[in-house]
Amino acid sequence: MRELGEISFPIWGTTATVLTADADRLSVVMTAVRAQLASFDVACSRFRPDSEIERVNGSAGRWVEVLPLLVDAVEVAIRAAALTDGDVDPTVGEALIVLGYDRDFAAVLPSGPSALGARPTVGWRLVQIDRSNSRVRVPMGVRLDLGATAKALAADRAATAAAEIAGCGVLVSLGGDIAVAGAGPLHGWTIGLSDSHLDEPEPGQSVRIDAGGLATSSTTVRRWSRGGEIVHHVIDPSTGRPAREVWRTVTVAAATCVDANTASTAAIVRGEVALDWLASLGLPARLVRTDGRIERTATWPRPEVAA
């Protein structure tokens, strides 16, 4: 059995972890992964004034020619919105700015005045894409934020590209958005679970995957205060405010990391009805209530009960 390779590094206000099924291929894998992540940063970062998405956000309603990667990322975000009836909406950028999330999270002020001006989002249906000319247009005053899908898409693409180049199994985790590709370890990749990617896995809380993706959405990590109110980064598009907290953490397994993160984010927004919704889709999920009680759907493994 080959030794696994592993490396972690900070990126985008979170931690990236890359695992390879063959430690000897780690350097090759890292070259491919870093190239993918660099491309996504240029295309999709809301915190880079020179990024492609910020050119679109500052376009005052005009068509903007962009890199094909941003076209892909916006299409993925629109698909997520359509699949969730708008509960995962890429037009929440202005709502996040109103709340004070207008820079990399490490630099967000921990407290401040009340977040006035919150209102429902304009809506994803008004975002226009012209793939043949690699152009995107949003209405004046609308700001895209692809946080609910772009990081997951980056994990999917980085894992796939690295596995193809290295010829071995690869796992890419970007702050809880996990994608795997290629021939992994014999019994799959073991993933420990916790409320935060910064915490040690909780005892007895781990799963194994050998394909697809796993994503966790949480209200416990990116939190700050405005006007004495604790707010978080998962926005309910119907109000422009942080989603009401029924679940503090939702983890979903799906065919891709994008699909997993779309479902986990929508579950946070939907609250109690998310249980039936995830079950109806047959998606294995682990949902942790604000009081710590755990619910599971579909084939998510239950803990063994002693006889």
Side-chain angles (χ1 to χ4, degrees), residues 12 15 21 30 39 51 72 78 91 98 102 108 140 158 161 208 210 231 240 254 270:
W12 303 335
T15 301
M30 284 305 302
S39 295
S51 72
D72 292 346
I78 296 302
T91 66
V98 169
D102 56 356
V108 170
M140 184 178 295
R208 290 180 177 177
D210 55 19
V231 297
R270 292 188 174 199

Side-chain angles (χ1 to χ4, degrees), residues 116-173:
L116 301 176
R119 58 185 184 275
T121 60
V122 171
W124 58 275
R125 290 182 176 85
L126 297 179
V127 178
Q128 295 177 279
I129 301 169
D130 176 6
R131 172 164 283 283
S132 62
N133 293 299
S134 196
R135 300 189 302 171
V136 176
R137 181 167 68 180
V138 298
M140 184 178 295
V142 171
R143 298 188 68 85
L144 295 175
D145 176 87
L146 305 182
T149 52
K151 184 154 62 70
L153 180 61
D156 280 329
R157 292 202 171 180
T160 298
E164 289 177 351
I165 292 171
C168 68
V170 175
L171 178 149
V172 175
S173 172

Side-chain angles (χ1 to χ4, degrees), residues 19-301:
L19 299 174
T20 65
D22 183 349
D24 292 340
R25 305 298 288 164
L26 183 58
S27 62
V28 175
V29 165
M30 284 305 302
T31 297
V33 168
R34 288 191 182 277
Q36 287 288 324
L37 299 186
S39 295
F40 271 88
D41 195 50
V42 169
C44 304
S45 175
R46 189 165 58 88
F47 309 122
R48 285 184 57 156
D50 63 340
S51 72
E52 296 286 285
I53 194 171
E54 280 304 280
R55 291 202 300 114
V56 173
N57 285 339
S59 67
R62 298 185 299 272
W63 281 104
V64 179
E65 186 175 344
V66 297
L67 294 171
L69 177 55
L70 183 61
V71 175
D72 292 346
V74 174
E75 284 188 337
V76 165
I78 296 302
R79 172 180 174 271
L83 290 174
T84 62
D85 296 323
D87 284 335
V88 180
D89 191 323
T91 66
V92 297
E94 187 62 29
L96 288 165
I97 290 173
V98 169
L99 287 169
Y101 194 1
D102 56 356
R103 63 202 74 186
D104 189 277
F105 187 73
V108 170
L109 298 176
S111 62
S114 295
L116 301 176
R119 58 185 184 275
T121 60
V122 171
W124 58 275
R125 290 182 176 85
L126 297 179
V127 178
Q128 295 177 279
I129 301 169
D130 176 6
R131 172 164 283 283
S132 62
N133 293 299
S134 196
R135 300 189 302 171
V136 176
R137 181 167 68 180
V138 298
M140 184 178 295
V142 171
R143 298 188 68 85
L144 295 175
D145 176 87
L146 305 182
T149 52
K151 184 154 62 70
L153 180 61
D156 280 329
R157 292 202 171 180
T160 298
E164 289 177 351
I165 292 171
C168 68
V170 175
L171 178 149
V172 175
S173 172
L174 302 176
D177 289 345
I178 298 170
V180 301
L186 179 61
H187 298 294
W189 301 97
T190 300
I191 300 169
L193 303 173
S194 65
D195 278 351
S196 168
H197 67 278
L198 300 174
D199 297 336
E200 290 295 319
E202 299 168 13
Q205 299 293 332
S206 64
V207 293
R208 290 180 177 177
I209 62 172
D210 55 19
L214 190 77
T216 298
S217 295
S218 177
T219 64
T220 66
V221 179
R222 300 195 174 193
R223 298 172 71 88
W224 63 102
S225 174
R226 286 296 178 269
E229 175 191 5
I230 300 299
V231 297
H232 60 80
H233 74 294
V234 182
I235 300 298
D236 181 347
S238 69
T239 64
R241 299 283 301 173
R244 186 171 65 88
E245 293 185 75
V246 173
W247 314 109
R248 71 187 191 198
T249 303
V250 178
T251 303
V252 178
T256 66
C257 187
V258 165
D259 286 349
N261 200 20
T262 297
S264 64
T265 302
I268 294 283
V269 173
R270 292 188 174 199
E272 192 67 41
V273 300
L275 275 174
D276 289 341
W277 176 66
L278 290 167
S280 72
L281 296 174
L283 289 174
R286 175 183 183 267
L287 304 90
V288 184
R289 296 184 182 275
T290 55
D291 62 6
R293 287 180 294 147
I294 298 174
E295 308 280 359
R296 300 171 181 84
T297 65
T299 58
W300 192 277

